[in-house]
Amino acid sequence: MLEQQGQACVADYVQSTAIGPKRALLERAVAALEALKALRPYDRSIETRRLFCAGRLSIALNRFE
């Protein structure tokens, strides 16, 4: 379940044709990947996906320079 929620952010970026912020999806993805990282701390792919989704969330919230 955590894996699927986290992967939803990546899949949305690759497959979505809709433009605009998807705050709820991105927040769920970041939270899920943070929880998954706690369960699998040595899996570097989780941190990579978490950073990607956190970056998308920052853009959606206009939290960037």
Side-chain angles (χ1 to χ4, degrees):
M1 174 101 172
L2 293 174
E3 186 81 38
Q4 292 165 340
Q5 286 181 337
Q7 191 60 28
C9 169
V10 177
D12 174 74
Y13 181 77
V14 174
Q15 299 171 356
S16 180
T17 58
I19 297 173
K22 299 166 184 181
R23 182 178 177 173
L25 172 112
L26 300 173
E27 287 174 340
R28 282 192 306 269
V30 171
L33 290 166
E34 286 173 352
L36 192 58
K37 184 180 174 189
L39 296 172
R40 297 189 338 221
Y42 300 108
D43 186 340
R44 286 188 259 163
S45 70
I46 295 170
E47 178 61 6
T48 302
R49 288 181 283 154
R50 189 196 66 76
L51 288 171
F52 174 78
C53 295
R56 285 193 69 204
L57 179 58
S58 292
I59 291 168
L61 299 174
N62 291 317
R63 292 184 189 159
F64 58 93
E65 297 179 21

